[in-house]
Amino acid sequence: MTEAVDTDAADDAAGVTGRTTGTTVAGAGKGPLGRDFGKLWTAAAFSNLADGLGRTAVPLIATTLTRDPLAIAVIGAVAFVPWLVFGLPAGMIVDRFDRRIIMAAANGIRGVVALWLAILTATGQISLWALFLGTLVFGLGETLFDNATNAVIPGVVRRAHLDRANGRMQAAQVTIDSFIATPIAGVLFAVALALPLWVGTAGYVVPIALALVLPLSAARPLRDRTLADSAAVTNPGAPDIDVAGPTAEPIAAPLPRPTVPAREAIAYLWGNHYLRAMVVFTSLVGCAFAFAQAGTILYFLDEQGVAPAAIGFVTAGIGVGALVGSLAAPHIVARLGRGWVMFAANFVAALAMLLTGLAPGVVSAVLAYGLFAFAVSTWNVPWGALRQQIVPGHLFGRVLGIIRMLTWGLFPIATLLGGWVARIDLRLPFLLASGVVVVAALVASRLLVVGTRHAGAEAEE
């Protein structure tokens, strides 16, 4: 839910993609997701493992240098800076070049950074400034890898499977991040400060190889559905072609490398009233979440008395909620619809933040935070599938880059503000953010429920 929500123009530019196939958009879809999705999933899984180790190790290393909530919050803020300055360029790169190469290069960059930080830590030369710089470069690699991974999914699975595929990707991220990477990172940190970074460096190697063996349909955007429709008109006897997934491969032959001007994506997003409004909503709610979580590690270490070596097990408990949310979301969406699920997820998240801020002990704090993670995951699945559903494939990388630039790009400011408020009381950011999210969800209720339906992103028979 660190992304949020982007109505009438979507019927024209985006909604038609849902109507041309006659498939159930919001349904979970049946049948296997395929070998190519398995490669993508495995690449993302190893990348998440390395990310999780670094994400846990870096702030823990920072706590050995300072206990200032604002200084710790800077690490979280710096992680989002690349989305502000590099989000759109990353999207242009993803739409311009082979997405498989981009995924491999991004993990190569992050692997080198993890190795550098490990060497500095092991030799006792680590500093806050090195952690800030390393986190910044990690973020640059993340803008490329995450953007490319999201853009590849419609190229390796069928349209009816998008919600399920996104759910699987979300589940992998949560499971590996929360149940494998962070507990291991905490234990490894207790053994040696640099050990999580050494292991994380090795974790980036496997995704490089897997990204390079993805099929051609993952390399570049598939031809627009309008081209497929035109072919059907000129050759009415030809079989239907689903432009998302393996069945699209016959029309995914190498084409001359297209130009990818940013203004084309900007014009599309500006003209799509639904996505534009969702970006505003997402930015506000996402900033509230970033504000609340700015002092999370010190909240558990200092306020709840958790030992540094056990912090990974605390996040594993929180991860239960995230995992359940990612696995349950496709089925909940299929029953209730994307709009209602996204609307309800915001209220659950607000309640969970309130309970976290009021939690009297570590167990209740973990349970409340787990409920928050459940709500975030439940939001992420339909929101991710919705964008893949309505944004044209040849624009997806740039549009996603703009969306994340406008949303995640504001998170550094919110995170720093949260760290500053946490200096007063480590519980206060959770309480303030809870109220902001409730008000935002009420104001945007029509956008989330009615707007999503009118955008052509709900189930259609």
Side-chain angles (χ1 to χ4, degrees), residues 53-433:
L53 290 170
R55 191 176 297 116
T56 303
V58 169
L60 282 175
I61 293 172
T63 62
T64 66
L65 303 173
T66 181
R67 304 298 276 196
D68 183 355
L70 184 57
I72 301 299
V74 169
I75 293 177
V78 167
F80 287 111
V81 168
W83 289 104
L84 174 62
V85 299
F86 195 63
L88 179 55
M92 296 174 68
I93 292 172
V94 166
D95 283 345
R96 179 74 168 83
F97 299 103
D98 190 323
R99 290 164 176 173
R100 300 168 297 183
I101 301 297
I102 293 170
M103 292 171 65
N107 270 352
I109 292 171
R110 294 192 286 183
V112 170
V113 172
L115 178 61
W116 175 65
L117 290 178
I119 293 173
L120 288 181
T121 303
T123 58
Q125 300 179 55
I126 194 67
S127 66
L128 283 177
W129 288 107
L131 293 175
F132 296 158
L133 179 59
T135 301
L136 180 64
V137 181
F138 267 129
L140 290 173
E142 185 180 29
T143 61
L144 291 169
F145 185 84
D146 284 9
N147 201 319
T149 302
N150 276 274
V152 163
I153 292 175
V156 296
V157 303
R158 298 177 182 273
R159 289 171 57 80
H161 294 165
L162 283 176
D163 280 298
R164 187 151 60 96
N166 279 278
R168 293 281 180 87
M169 296 293 282
Q170 178 86 2
Q173 178 181 354
V174 170
T175 302
I176 295 169
D177 238 5
S178 299
F179 301 116
I180 300 177
T182 50
I184 291 177
V187 174
L188 294 177
F189 175 81
V191 175
L193 297 186
L195 196 51
L197 295 172
W198 291 118
V199 178
T201 301
Y204 283 118
V205 175
V206 174
I208 295 175
L210 288 172
L212 296 177
V213 297
L214 287 171
L216 182 61
S217 59
R220 297 187 187 91
L222 299 175
R223 298 191 191 190
D224 276 346
R225 176 166 298 280
T226 53
L227 296 180
D229 292 342
S230 297
V233 171
T234 58
N235 186 12
D240 289 339
I241 297 176
D242 187 347
V243 299
T247 57
E249 193 111 23
I251 64 168
L255 298 172
R257 188 169 288 161
T259 57
V260 285
R263 64 178 178 274
E264 183 182 7
I266 294 172
Y268 169 79
L269 185 58
W270 182 259
N272 190 315
H273 304 316
Y274 172 71
L275 286 177
R276 192 175 69 202
M278 288 288 275
V279 167
V280 174
F281 174 77
T282 304
S283 299
L284 179 59
V285 172
C287 283
F289 293 157
F291 177 88
Q293 297 175 89
T296 294
I297 190 165
L298 288 180
Y299 168 75
F300 281 105
L301 290 176
D302 295 346
E303 190 73 20
Q304 299 295 350
V306 177
I311 196 69
F313 295 96
V314 169
T315 57
I318 294 169
V320 171
L323 177 61
V324 172
S326 63
L327 294 176
H331 305 287
I332 300 174
V333 168
R335 182 176 296 272
L336 302 178
R338 287 183 181 143
W340 281 109
V341 170
M342 292 190 295
F343 177 66
N346 283 278
F347 282 95
V348 175
L351 173 63
M353 286 189 292
L354 177 64
L355 294 175
T356 302
L358 298 176
V362 65
V363 174
S364 56
V366 169
L367 290 175
Y369 215 125
L371 180 63
F372 171 73
F374 170 86
V376 170
S377 289
T378 303
W379 164 279
N380 279 339
V381 170
W383 172 232
L386 183 155
R387 290 174 308 191
Q388 293 162 352
Q389 173 75 27
I390 67 177
V391 178
H394 71 285
L395 291 174
F396 188 86
R398 283 164 287 169
V399 171
L400 182 60
I402 295 170
I403 290 174
R404 286 186 167 175
M405 179 185 70
L406 297 175
T407 54
W408 293 15
L410 295 175
F411 291 178
I413 299 173
T415 302
L416 291 176
L417 287 174
W420 178 70
V421 171
R423 280 179 159 180
I424 303 172
D425 190 325
L426 289 168
R427 297 174 180 267
L428 189 55
F430 291 104
L431 304 180
L432 295 177

